[in-house]
Amino acid sequence: MILILGLLWAGAAASGDRLVVVEATVPGGAVSDVRVRSAVGGMPDVEASALVQERLPPVTGTVLAEPLIDADRLLREGREAYLDGRFDEAVTQLAQARELLKRAVDSLDEERRAAETLFKAYMYLAFTLRARGGDSVPQATEVMNDALRTFPSIEPSVAEFGPENVKFYRQARSQLEQGPKARVRVHTTGGQATVYLNGRLVGVSPLDLKQVYVGRYLVHARQGDQPTRVHAIEIRPGDNEFSLDLSFDHVLQSERALRLSYGSIAARADQHV
């Protein structure tokens, strides 16, 4: 059984914002026993309960699709659309593949395959945006810069992507190489954890990375099979230190809605305060 404590924003009221605190249990993957714990901002409990029923209908347990399978499919379809000149369709599918892998890679067992798929998703998305031209060219450069930050030591092959695309990659890399670099230290509370930058495994905490490209990244850590939150960080020139509180990340879930998810009632009683 998992106990979930969630926050549901109910919109502005005359007396200020209205916030509803909701608690539910999830036995066997199905949400049940949804209760309103409190309502902030002058909302009556009856109105709060009706809002909860509207926003949080009963949910049955579902089996999540393997992220890598979905990403592989999106990558294949996006590549075909790119080669056929259907650039808008390609951009949509390739962007979905990239985001899926960046945020779900901690659930994958096949790390090497996941990294290969993620790299190709970056490449095809950047090359598609460049081929579309116009206002998409600066976006293509930014996607390529993200790819270089994520995979600084991998170069696309001419055989697969073509000489013009590889030339575009090398130009972007040359510009990043001329810019400042950073040193990044990552610490995790509660023991060692594997650390990911933009969905790529970069090492085990405490982590010390040198000669890192500056810019925006997504970072998260993984301890065993327990998922943690994805943090958006800005790496600046010079020294950067980041500390991840895994005990908090293990219970704080931010997908779809902000909520706290505990493994048991006893764990909630111990950690909630």
mmCIF file of all heavy atoms in Angstrom, residues 175-200:
data_model
loop_
_atom_site.group_PDB
_atom_site.id
_atom_site.type_symbol
_atom_site.label_atom_id
_atom_site.label_comp_id
_atom_site.label_asym_id
_atom_site.label_seq_id
_atom_site.Cartn_x
_atom_site.Cartn_y
_atom_site.Cartn_z
ATOM 1 N N GLN A 175 32.212 26.053 -31.456
ATOM 2 C CA GLN A 175 31.784 27.253 -30.730
ATOM 3 C C GLN A 175 31.709 27.000 -29.226
ATOM 4 O O GLN A 175 32.120 27.846 -28.418
ATOM 5 C CB GLN A 175 30.433 27.729 -31.266
ATOM 6 C CG GLN A 175 30.505 28.284 -32.674
ATOM 7 C CD GLN A 175 29.150 28.733 -33.192
ATOM 8 O OE1 GLN A 175 28.118 28.485 -32.574
ATOM 9 N NE2 GLN A 175 29.151 29.387 -34.346
ATOM 10 N N LEU A 176 31.189 25.824 -28.821
ATOM 11 C CA LEU A 176 31.132 25.513 -27.400
ATOM 12 C C LEU A 176 32.525 25.346 -26.808
ATOM 13 O O LEU A 176 32.786 25.759 -25.668
ATOM 14 C CB LEU A 176 30.318 24.235 -27.165
ATOM 15 C CG LEU A 176 28.795 24.369 -27.082
ATOM 16 C CD1 LEU A 176 28.167 23.017 -26.760
ATOM 17 C CD2 LEU A 176 28.376 25.390 -26.037
ATOM 18 N N GLU A 177 33.432 24.747 -27.574
ATOM 19 C CA GLU A 177 34.798 24.534 -27.084
ATOM 20 C C GLU A 177 35.511 25.857 -26.823
ATOM 21 O O GLU A 177 36.373 25.946 -25.937
ATOM 22 C CB GLU A 177 35.602 23.702 -28.094
ATOM 23 C CG GLU A 177 35.263 22.223 -28.098
ATOM 24 C CD GLU A 177 35.727 21.525 -26.833
ATOM 25 O OE1 GLU A 177 36.590 22.081 -26.126
ATOM 26 O OE2 GLU A 177 35.215 20.422 -26.548
ATOM 27 N N GLN A 178 35.169 26.878 -27.581
ATOM 28 C CA GLN A 178 35.799 28.181 -27.398
ATOM 29 C C GLN A 178 35.264 28.931 -26.186
ATOM 30 O O GLN A 178 35.863 29.896 -25.736
ATOM 31 C CB GLN A 178 35.602 29.023 -28.664
ATOM 32 C CG GLN A 178 36.328 28.481 -29.888
ATOM 33 C CD GLN A 178 35.982 29.242 -31.155
ATOM 34 O OE1 GLN A 178 35.445 30.353 -31.101
ATOM 35 N NE2 GLN A 178 36.279 28.661 -32.300
ATOM 36 N N GLY A 179 34.133 28.478 -25.666
ATOM 37 C CA GLY A 179 33.530 29.142 -24.513
ATOM 38 C C GLY A 179 34.121 28.645 -23.201
ATOM 39 O O GLY A 179 34.953 27.731 -23.172
ATOM 40 N N PRO A 180 33.692 29.232 -22.082
ATOM 41 C CA PRO A 180 34.206 28.823 -20.767
ATOM 42 C C PRO A 180 33.703 27.435 -20.379
ATOM 43 O O PRO A 180 32.678 26.967 -20.867
ATOM 44 C CB PRO A 180 33.645 29.898 -19.825
ATOM 45 C CG PRO A 180 32.396 30.373 -20.511
ATOM 46 C CD PRO A 180 32.686 30.301 -21.986
ATOM 47 N N LYS A 181 34.452 26.786 -19.497
ATOM 48 C CA LYS A 181 34.079 25.464 -18.989
ATOM 49 C C LYS A 181 33.764 25.573 -17.490
ATOM 50 O O LYS A 181 34.000 26.611 -16.859
ATOM 51 C CB LYS A 181 35.205 24.463 -19.204
ATOM 52 C CG LYS A 181 35.634 24.290 -20.647
ATOM 53 C CD LYS A 181 34.557 23.666 -21.493
ATOM 54 C CE LYS A 181 35.126 23.213 -22.840
ATOM 55 N NZ LYS A 181 35.833 24.277 -23.566
ATOM 56 N N ALA A 182 33.243 24.498 -16.947
ATOM 57 C CA ALA A 182 32.845 24.495 -15.546
ATOM 58 C C ALA A 182 33.313 23.226 -14.854
ATOM 59 O O ALA A 182 33.591 22.209 -15.496
ATOM 60 C CB ALA A 182 31.325 24.626 -15.421
ATOM 61 N N ARG A 183 33.380 23.312 -13.535
ATOM 62 C CA ARG A 183 33.599 22.135 -12.692
ATOM 63 C C ARG A 183 32.324 21.909 -11.892
ATOM 64 O O ARG A 183 31.771 22.854 -11.311
ATOM 65 C CB ARG A 183 34.769 22.355 -11.750
ATOM 66 C CG ARG A 183 35.100 21.140 -10.882
ATOM 67 C CD ARG A 183 36.342 21.394 -10.044
ATOM 68 N NE ARG A 183 36.733 20.214 -9.288
ATOM 69 C CZ ARG A 183 37.815 20.153 -8.512
ATOM 70 N NH1 ARG A 183 38.619 21.218 -8.404
ATOM 71 N NH2 ARG A 183 38.104 19.044 -7.842
ATOM 72 N N VAL A 184 31.841 20.673 -11.863
ATOM 73 C CA VAL A 184 30.553 20.364 -11.236
ATOM 74 C C VAL A 184 30.747 19.288 -10.183
ATOM 75 O O VAL A 184 31.276 18.204 -10.471
ATOM 76 C CB VAL A 184 29.518 19.889 -12.282
ATOM 77 C CG1 VAL A 184 28.190 19.551 -11.604
ATOM 78 C CG2 VAL A 184 29.317 20.948 -13.361
ATOM 79 N N ARG A 185 30.322 19.602 -8.964
ATOM 80 C CA ARG A 185 30.318 18.620 -7.876
ATOM 81 C C ARG A 185 28.875 18.338 -7.482
ATOM 82 O O ARG A 185 28.087 19.271 -7.296
ATOM 83 C CB ARG A 185 31.101 19.131 -6.674
ATOM 84 C CG ARG A 185 32.591 19.351 -6.911
ATOM 85 C CD ARG A 185 33.283 19.734 -5.602
ATOM 86 N NE ARG A 185 34.712 19.929 -5.770
ATOM 87 C CZ ARG A 185 35.274 21.106 -6.036
ATOM 88 N NH1 ARG A 185 34.512 22.181 -6.169
ATOM 89 N NH2 ARG A 185 36.583 21.209 -6.168
ATOM 90 N N VAL A 186 28.540 17.063 -7.350
ATOM 91 C CA VAL A 186 27.184 16.662 -6.962
ATOM 92 C C VAL A 186 27.278 15.776 -5.729
ATOM 93 O O VAL A 186 27.980 14.756 -5.727
ATOM 94 C CB VAL A 186 26.471 15.895 -8.095
ATOM 95 C CG1 VAL A 186 25.063 15.492 -7.648
ATOM 96 C CG2 VAL A 186 26.394 16.747 -9.360
ATOM 97 N N HIS A 187 26.568 16.179 -4.672
ATOM 98 C CA HIS A 187 26.506 15.407 -3.439
ATOM 99 C C HIS A 187 25.073 14.920 -3.237
ATOM 100 O O HIS A 187 24.115 15.599 -3.601
ATOM 101 C CB HIS A 187 26.927 16.272 -2.239
ATOM 102 C CG HIS A 187 28.261 16.932 -2.397
ATOM 103 N ND1 HIS A 187 29.445 16.305 -2.103
ATOM 104 C CD2 HIS A 187 28.594 18.177 -2.849
ATOM 105 C CE1 HIS A 187 30.456 17.122 -2.345
ATOM 106 N NE2 HIS A 187 29.966 18.271 -2.806
ATOM 107 N N THR A 188 24.922 13.752 -2.643
ATOM 108 C CA THR A 188 23.596 13.215 -2.341
ATOM 109 C C THR A 188 23.539 12.816 -0.879
ATOM 110 O O THR A 188 24.470 12.208 -0.345
ATOM 111 C CB THR A 188 23.274 11.988 -3.211
ATOM 112 O OG1 THR A 188 24.298 10.998 -3.051
ATOM 113 C CG2 THR A 188 23.173 12.380 -4.680
ATOM 114 N N THR A 189 22.446 13.169 -0.217
ATOM 115 C CA THR A 189 22.253 12.765 1.170
ATOM 116 C C THR A 189 21.708 11.345 1.213
ATOM 117 O O THR A 189 21.031 10.898 0.295
ATOM 118 C CB THR A 189 21.260 13.700 1.868
ATOM 119 O OG1 THR A 189 19.999 13.634 1.187
ATOM 120 C CG2 THR A 189 21.751 15.137 1.847
ATOM 121 N N GLY A 190 22.033 10.647 2.289
ATOM 122 C CA GLY A 190 21.496 9.297 2.449
ATOM 123 C C GLY A 190 22.256 8.237 1.688
ATOM 124 O O GLY A 190 21.692 7.193 1.356
ATOM 125 N N GLY A 191 23.521 8.464 1.372
ATOM 126 C CA GLY A 191 24.332 7.451 0.712
ATOM 127 C C GLY A 191 24.625 7.760 -0.737
ATOM 128 O O GLY A 191 24.204 8.793 -1.283
ATOM 129 N N GLN A 192 25.381 6.858 -1.367
ATOM 130 C CA GLN A 192 25.765 7.038 -2.759
ATOM 131 C C GLN A 192 24.575 6.823 -3.690
ATOM 132 O O GLN A 192 23.623 6.126 -3.364
ATOM 133 C CB GLN A 192 26.875 6.068 -3.142
ATOM 134 C CG GLN A 192 28.235 6.395 -2.559
ATOM 135 C CD GLN A 192 29.309 5.465 -3.080
ATOM 136 O OE1 GLN A 192 29.130 4.259 -3.115
ATOM 137 N NE2 GLN A 192 30.434 6.036 -3.505
ATOM 138 N N ALA A 193 24.665 7.434 -4.875
ATOM 139 C CA ALA A 193 23.620 7.279 -5.885
ATOM 140 C C ALA A 193 24.241 7.511 -7.248
ATOM 141 O O ALA A 193 25.242 8.221 -7.387
ATOM 142 C CB ALA A 193 22.484 8.262 -5.649
ATOM 143 N N THR A 194 23.663 6.886 -8.275
ATOM 144 C CA THR A 194 24.091 7.171 -9.640
ATOM 145 C C THR A 194 23.475 8.495 -10.070
ATOM 146 O O THR A 194 22.325 8.796 -9.744
ATOM 147 C CB THR A 194 23.657 6.052 -10.598
ATOM 148 O OG1 THR A 194 22.250 5.810 -10.439
ATOM 149 C CG2 THR A 194 24.412 4.778 -10.320
ATOM 150 N N VAL A 195 24.232 9.284 -10.800
ATOM 151 C CA VAL A 195 23.829 10.639 -11.163
ATOM 152 C C VAL A 195 23.698 10.744 -12.676
ATOM 153 O O VAL A 195 24.556 10.246 -13.419
ATOM 154 C CB VAL A 195 24.842 11.689 -10.635
ATOM 155 C CG1 VAL A 195 24.405 13.093 -11.018
ATOM 156 C CG2 VAL A 195 24.981 11.571 -9.116
ATOM 157 N N TYR A 196 22.634 11.410 -13.124
ATOM 158 C CA TYR A 196 22.351 11.585 -14.544
ATOM 159 C C TYR A 196 22.283 13.072 -14.878
ATOM 160 O O TYR A 196 21.673 13.849 -14.140
ATOM 161 C CB TYR A 196 21.018 10.939 -14.913
ATOM 162 C CG TYR A 196 20.968 9.439 -14.732
ATOM 163 C CD1 TYR A 196 20.788 8.875 -13.478
ATOM 164 C CD2 TYR A 196 21.102 8.582 -15.821
ATOM 165 C CE1 TYR A 196 20.741 7.503 -13.304
ATOM 166 C CE2 TYR A 196 21.053 7.202 -15.658
ATOM 167 C CZ TYR A 196 20.877 6.674 -14.397
ATOM 168 O OH TYR A 196 20.827 5.318 -14.234
ATOM 169 N N LEU A 197 22.910 13.456 -15.985
ATOM 170 C CA LEU A 197 22.773 14.805 -16.539
ATOM 171 C C LEU A 197 22.064 14.686 -17.882
ATOM 172 O O LEU A 197 22.535 13.970 -18.773
ATOM 173 C CB LEU A 197 24.137 15.467 -16.738
ATOM 174 C CG LEU A 197 24.828 16.064 -15.509
ATOM 175 C CD1 LEU A 197 26.163 16.662 -15.897
ATOM 176 C CD2 LEU A 197 23.953 17.116 -14.825
ATOM 177 N N ASN A 198 20.939 15.346 -18.021
ATOM 178 C CA ASN A 198 20.136 15.277 -19.252
ATOM 179 C C ASN A 198 19.828 13.835 -19.649
ATOM 180 O O ASN A 198 19.758 13.499 -20.829
ATOM 181 C CB ASN A 198 20.836 15.995 -20.404
ATOM 182 C CG ASN A 198 20.756 17.502 -20.281
ATOM 183 O OD1 ASN A 198 20.124 18.024 -19.374
ATOM 184 N ND2 ASN A 198 21.399 18.210 -21.188
ATOM 185 N N GLY A 199 19.646 12.968 -18.648
ATOM 186 C CA GLY A 199 19.292 11.589 -18.924
ATOM 187 C C GLY A 199 20.468 10.670 -19.190
ATOM 188 O O GLY A 199 20.279 9.483 -19.411
ATOM 189 N N ARG A 200 21.703 11.181 -19.143
ATOM 190 C CA ARG A 200 22.894 10.345 -19.386
ATOM 191 C C ARG A 200 23.607 10.075 -18.069
ATOM 192 O O ARG A 200 23.852 10.992 -17.283
ATOM 193 C CB ARG A 200 23.853 11.036 -20.353
ATOM 194 C CG ARG A 200 25.120 10.221 -20.656
ATOM 195 C CD ARG A 200 26.003 10.932 -21.661
ATOM 196 N NE ARG A 200 26.599 12.140 -21.126
ATOM 197 C CZ ARG A 200 27.785 12.205 -20.515
ATOM 198 N NH1 ARG A 200 28.509 11.114 -20.366
ATOM 199 N NH2 ARG A 200 28.262 13.364 -20.075
#
